[in-house]
Amino acid sequence: NVVPMGGVLLTAGVDVQKDRIECEVVAWGRRMQTWSIDYRVFMGDTADLDGAESPWRQLDEMLAEQWEHESGVRMSLRVMAIDTGYNTQTVYNWCRKYPNNRVMPIKGDEHGATLIGQPKPVDVMRNGKRIARGLKLWHIALDIAKSELYGWLRQDRPSEDDALLPVGWARFPEYGEEYFRQLTAEQLVSKVVRGYRRWQWEKTRERNEALDCRVYARAAAAMAGIDRWKEPQWLELERSIGNAQEQPQPTGDGGTGAQAQQESRGMQRRKSSWL
């Protein structure tokens, strides 16, 4: 529940089940580094939107929560992405309470050309015309998101202590084993479909909510624009939390020079409590 120095953006991914809501809060930094800040499970009937024991009340509270940054400032969630596959209308009704750029209702597609597709209006009038500023549903390509995530997770730590960590390096607190089994609960398999060979993601176990939440948090980060940020945007965010550093420029051979190694050593010293 404390955001490390490298984290400048907070997003959340939410998975809705019949009797609970599961959510992961993820901090994002340069080079797509991530820190899992918290993983929460809110028990209760997800068809109950307004009851005293409704899990949606707890999700409201979490969305309004602020997290302490290691620099001492407080950070809020920039974007929350929530799956609409279960209790769809209830999810829509909850999302309508918040701006479209803060809460992002999503629907996962097995395949897609881009991580996030064009949004589709959910709120329409009787004549079929969409309602201005109405709720929008975002489609995300699960194959792209999962392939990216699993590529990041299988990376090895550099052998040199002062080497720059790989793009997408992920850090986790000491969650229980079940979390990591859920995070790695799918594998890419090759199948012949209608005469054509295709690659598909399949479960290796029943529970995979941690994987879903992480993928949704990634979609939320993309919605916030992290993939398009240039140096001015990074510096602006870092200065807002008192963590601005002069960043190294890439060298001609694709390296990042001594400044990058110095930055990496500083990051490694600050992450002693992370796995």
Side-chain angles (χ1 to χ4, degrees), residues 10-23:
L10 281 182
T11 68
V14 181
D15 184 61
V16 180
Q17 301 289 326
K18 183 179 185 300
D19 61 348
R20 66 192 183 280
I21 295 173
E22 302 203 15
C23 180

Side-chain angles (χ1 to χ4, degrees), residues 2-11 24-38 148-149 152-153 155 165-173 175 179 183 213-215 217-219 221-222 226 234 267 271 274-275:
V2 175
V3 183
M5 289 299 292
V8 297
L9 171 72
L10 281 182
T11 68
E24 183 177 26
V25 177
V26 180
W28 300 82
R30 287 180 182 263
R31 295 169 55 82
M32 302 302 286
Q33 294 185 79
T34 59
W35 294 261
S36 181
I37 302 303
D38 199 3
E148 178 189 60
L149 173 62
W152 289 345
L153 293 178
Q155 297 179 120
L165 293 172
V167 172
W169 190 256
R171 299 175 176 85
F172 302 90
Y175 292 142
Y179 169 85
L183 188 65
C213 288
R214 175 54 68 110
V215 165
R218 170 65 176 104
I226 193 172
W234 285 108
M267 286 294 299
K271 68 180 180 62
W274 297 82
L275 296 179

Side-chain angles (χ1 to χ4, degrees), residues 4 23 29 32 42 71 80 90-91 107 121 129 141 159 166 175 197 211 213 225-226 234 240 256 268:
C23 180
M32 302 302 286
F42 305 136
S71 66
M80 173 185 286
T90 303
V91 177
K107 179 176 176 59
K129 293 184 178 181
S159 57
Y175 292 142
R197 185 167 296 279
L211 172 59
C213 288
I226 193 172
W234 285 108
S240 70
T256 50
Q268 290 176 351

